[in-house]
């Protein structure tokens, strides 16, 4: 069974890999044997924490910067990695942003930025990398969804809309590509101690109410995503398609 989780010889592209969940996903894949192509808007060209950690595991790391809110920059990034890497076996669509404002104050600029980064860029990247996967008959695509794939949230209408759409996009691509050797799935994090949840954790009353609802009794940590990511990227998940795997300490079961 251990061999089913072995990713030796695989190349994984992980977006939003500089910190938090994305960094943990990249490290988990590297621990399982994969080489990593990492991209974030502010990722250092060399010497980043994630690069050094991946290299310490004996795997290679190629660093890229790309602003996923800029469609032309996204296409330039895609063209560059296709020139420089002959094959990408695993695509982890983790890059994302969250902008908080009540709906009546959530203007076009906020909406457009969140949708562009969290949904449009994810689709374009999956389509362009997925095309090659479909052509050769193998590949794994993993989206980072959210509890707000299922719930509406508060003061994050753009984020909720984008993550709801990610759940449907996961199923749509899985329906087309499952029979062509490409597994498309998503991971939905619960309340995780990352930069994205800093505002919630700094609000004492809100933080207490959130913690009280989590059956496991703690906020999640980025390291909680290593195992689920390796599972969905491996042969162990070869018959898993269109799933949105909750990693939430039991929140959605409450």
């Amino acid at each position: 069974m251990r061999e089913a989780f072995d990713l030796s010889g695989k190349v994984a592209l992980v977006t939003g890999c500089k910190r938090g969940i994305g960094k943990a996903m990249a490290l988990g894949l590297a621990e399982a044997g994969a080489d990593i192509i990492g991209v974030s808007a502010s990722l250092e060209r060399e010497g980043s924490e994630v690069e050094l950690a991946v290299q310490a595991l004996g795997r290679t790391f190629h660093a890229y910067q790309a602003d996923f809110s800029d469609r032309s920059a996204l296409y330039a990034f895609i063209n560059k990695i296709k020139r420089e890497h002959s094959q990408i076996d695993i695509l982890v669509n983790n890059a994302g942003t969250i902008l908080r404002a009540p709906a009546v104050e959530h203007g076009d600029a906020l909406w457009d930025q969140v949708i562009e980064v969290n949904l449009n860029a994810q689709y374009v990247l999956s389509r362009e990398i997925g095309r090659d996967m479909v052509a050769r008959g193998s590949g794994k695509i993993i989206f980072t969804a959210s509890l707000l794939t299922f719930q509406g949230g508060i003061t994050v209408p753009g984020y909720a809309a984008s993550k709801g759409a990610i759940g449907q996009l996961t199923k749509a691509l899985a329906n087309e590509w499952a029979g062509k050797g490409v597994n498309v799935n998503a991971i939905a994090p619960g309340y995780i101690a990352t930069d994205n949840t800093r505002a919630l954790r700094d609000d004492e009353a809100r933080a207490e109410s959130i913690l009280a609802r989590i059956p496991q009794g703690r906020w999640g940590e980025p390291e909680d995503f290593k195992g689920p990511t390796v599972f969905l990227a491996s042969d162990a998940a070869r018959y898993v398609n269109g799933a949105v795997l909750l990693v939430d300490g039991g929140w959605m079961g409450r």
Side-chain angles (χ1 to χ4, degrees), residues 55-204:
Q55 290 175 340
L57 294 167
R59 311 316 311 164
T60 63
F61 185 91
H62 299 273
Y64 295 87
Q65 289 182 353
D67 179 0
F68 282 9
S69 69
D70 181 339
R71 189 71 63 88
S72 62
L74 172 62
Y75 276 112
F77 165 68
I78 292 170
N79 290 335
K80 184 175 179 65
I81 60 170
K82 285 198 171 192
R83 287 196 307 269
E84 297 181 356
H85 303 277
S86 60
Q87 181 169 311
I88 295 170
D89 303 289
I90 303 158
L91 169 61
V92 179
N93 282 308
N94 174 72
T97 190
I98 187 167
L99 299 174
R100 300 179 185 276
V104 295
E105 300 169 12
H106 200 88
D108 290 356
L110 297 183
W111 176 273
D112 289 347
Q113 182 175 350
V114 171
I115 296 298
E116 189 64 31
V117 173
N118 291 7
L119 179 59
N120 295 344
Q122 313 295 329
Y123 172 65
V124 170
L125 190 57
S126 298
R127 183 189 66 208
E128 297 304 307
I129 302 299
R131 179 181 291 115
D132 296 336
M133 292 178 173
V134 168
R136 69 172 179 267
S138 67
K140 307 281 188 175
I141 297 177
I142 303 167
F143 289 96
T144 296
S146 169
L147 291 181
L148 300 197
T149 300
F150 309 97
Q151 300 177 318
I154 301 171
T155 69
V156 287
Y159 184 84
S162 70
K163 291 301 184 178
I166 285 296
Q168 293 303 103
L169 180 58
T170 298
K171 297 169 189 175
L173 295 181
N175 287 344
E176 290 195 37
W177 295 347
K180 299 177 180 179
V182 180
N183 299 83
V184 184
N185 295 287
I187 295 172
Y191 285 94
I192 313 301
T194 65
D195 292 347
N196 275 359
T197 59
R198 173 63 63 185
L200 296 177
R201 289 181 289 121
D202 287 345
D203 182 333
E204 185 175 348

